[in-house]
Amino acid sequence: MLINISGRTDIINYYSQWMFKRFEEGYVLSRNSLFPNSVRRYELTPEKVDCLLFGSKNFAPVLGRIHEITERFPTYFNYTITAYGKDIEPGVPDIDASIDTFLSLAQIVGPQRMAWRYDPILLTKEYTVQRHLETFDYIAGKLSGQFDRCIFSFVEMYSKHKTNLPELIPITKAEMDQIAAGIGAIAAKRGFLLQTCGPEEDYARYGIHTSGCVTLEMLGKANGLTFRNLKHKGFRKGCHCMESRDIGALNSCLNGCKYCYANKNAQLPRENYALHDPDSPLLIGHLKPTDRLEQGSQKSFLAKQK
């Protein structure tokens, strides 16, 4: 099985002490986001986990200790660096600081286990098509040779953006095509693999691949593993990712990104962070008497050795 750390929140940036404690104790509890009284236990051992998937906008807090995990587990890292400043991503380091941390992490874990994410791409008066292309080229040049692939997507239009991101300008198909053509040309010039995330339009004409962000093929290649030929179920319509178990929690990320889909509003993450206990097996709060605790299924995706 695959463990995701995490698509729901930035565990690395804000909850790394808790994460390392979970690996020390060898298990974690994860609360179901749809049925909150349902809690699953997952063993965090090499025998039970095929690969760990890390996602963050700031890996600086774990640079000194991440080897404790990478020396025991196969891993893959998604590092998001975009064009945005504090006006859109208030809790995220600036571009140059993020680039420095990215390069430091790549030295520790190896570029073959690193994906640079440039998403979501959105437009405002400040973040124009041209600014995206210029910033994408700048970051790509700084990270040259230090990542396995770049993954991008365009912003999904949620109703809450009217409140959280009023400066958002709806992006047209023509603008998406212009951006895809531009970043495709940059990827070709600099010689790296560029792919879409999930159900994006097919941009193969610009040399852009269409694939899942998490496939057994890419994880196997990065870690020297051989997986069984399994169907990638995905997380939503059109998604080509392999299923994983997320140990994070919604409404708990303090990055404050205005486009975030995982936080209902800006206040809930602060309230939930106040409930966080680094010694609890749950990211937020503790197990309750009314909770239904069950052992989560942890079937291996690895091919059997002959």
Side-chain angles (χ1 to χ4, degrees):
M1 72 166 300
L2 310 178
I3 292 286
N4 192 333
I5 310 171
S6 158
R8 297 173 179 169
T9 189
D10 199 332
I11 288 176
I12 298 295
N13 201 8
Y14 298 103
Y15 303 97
S16 60
Q17 181 184 351
W18 172 85
M19 180 190 72
F20 284 114
K21 184 68 176 292
R22 292 298 90 229
F23 280 99
E24 289 171 2
E25 297 192 353
Y27 78 99
V28 66
L29 301 185
S30 179
R31 190 176 296 280
N32 190 304
S33 57
L34 296 178
F35 305 98
N37 288 329
S38 176
V39 178
R40 294 286 188 273
R41 172 178 169 135
Y42 297 108
E43 309 307 313
L44 297 180
T45 64
E47 294 75 25
K48 291 291 186 179
V49 177
D50 297 329
C51 190
L52 299 168
L53 312 171
F54 292 94
S56 178
K57 295 177 179 176
N58 182 19
F59 280 88
V62 303
L63 290 179
R65 295 189 62 187
I66 196 64
H67 67 92
E68 298 173 17
I69 295 174
T70 58
E71 289 170 358
R72 298 177 59 214
F73 294 87
T75 53
Y76 198 84
F77 295 79
N78 284 277
Y79 202 137
T80 301
I81 307 179
T82 67
Y84 312 121
K86 300 292 183 181
D87 54 333
I88 302 293
E89 298 176 339
V92 179
D94 65 38
I95 292 173
D96 288 317
S98 296
I99 288 171
D100 288 343
T101 302
F102 188 108
L103 296 175
S104 296
L105 181 63
Q107 286 188 346
I108 297 169
V109 308
Q112 77 278 9
R113 296 188 180 93
M114 298 282 294
W116 165 35
R117 296 197 65 116
Y118 188 87
D119 64 343
I121 297 174
L122 59 84
L123 299 181
T124 69
K125 289 183 179 180
E126 294 293 328
Y127 301 101
T128 61
V129 170
Q130 188 59 34
R131 182 165 177 180
H132 276 294
L133 297 181
E134 291 172 354
T135 308
F136 185 87
D137 192 35
Y138 175 78
I139 299 171
K142 294 290 185 178
L143 300 183
S144 179
Q146 296 302 305
F147 59 95
D148 171 51
R149 66 191 63 212
C150 177
I151 304 168
F152 78 97
S153 66
F154 293 105
V155 69
E156 293 190 38
M157 301 299 293
Y158 295 102
S159 58
K160 61 183 176 182
H161 287 339
K162 294 179 181 179
T163 301
N164 298 343
L165 192 53
E167 63 267 46
L168 181 66
I169 299 173
I171 189 168
T172 66
K173 284 189 176 295
E175 288 166 330
M176 287 190 283
D177 197 73
Q178 184 182 358
I179 291 170
I183 63 176
I186 292 167
K189 176 183 69 174
R190 298 195 177 276
F192 61 86
L193 188 153
L194 178 64
Q195 70 170 73
T196 58
C197 168
E200 302 291 337
E201 184 177 335
D202 185 354
Y203 295 112
R205 60 193 178 278
Y206 303 126
I208 297 171
H209 299 257
T210 300
S211 177
C213 305
V214 177
T215 68
L216 296 182
E217 179 184 8
M218 61 187 278
L219 299 181
K221 182 179 178 182
N223 292 280
L225 301 174
T226 302
F227 289 98
R228 289 180 285 139
N229 186 18
L230 298 173
K231 182 178 179 181
H232 289 53
K233 297 181 179 179
F235 300 99
R236 62 192 189 279
K237 185 178 179 181
C239 179
H240 305 296
C241 291
M242 190 63 195
E243 63 178 308
S244 61
R245 296 293 177 264
D246 198 311
I247 64 172
L250 297 176
N251 298 302
S252 63
C253 185
L254 299 176
N255 281 333
C257 302
K258 289 186 176 182
Y259 52 75
C260 181
Y261 69 90
N263 288 341
K264 184 179 290 186
N265 56 52
Q267 181 61 28
L268 269 176
R270 291 191 286 268
E271 294 175 358
N272 283 325
Y273 187 76
L275 302 175
H276 171 66
D277 178 357
D279 293 323
S280 171
L282 281 165
L283 181 66
I284 302 299
H286 297 82
L287 200 64
K288 303 173 184 177
T290 54
D291 287 334
R292 185 176 73 255
L293 177 61
E294 297 178 319
Q295 182 68 43
S297 175
Q298 294 188 253
K299 295 181 180 180
S300 177
F301 299 151
L302 292 171
K304 292 184 179 179
Q305 299 297 318
K306 295 182 180 179

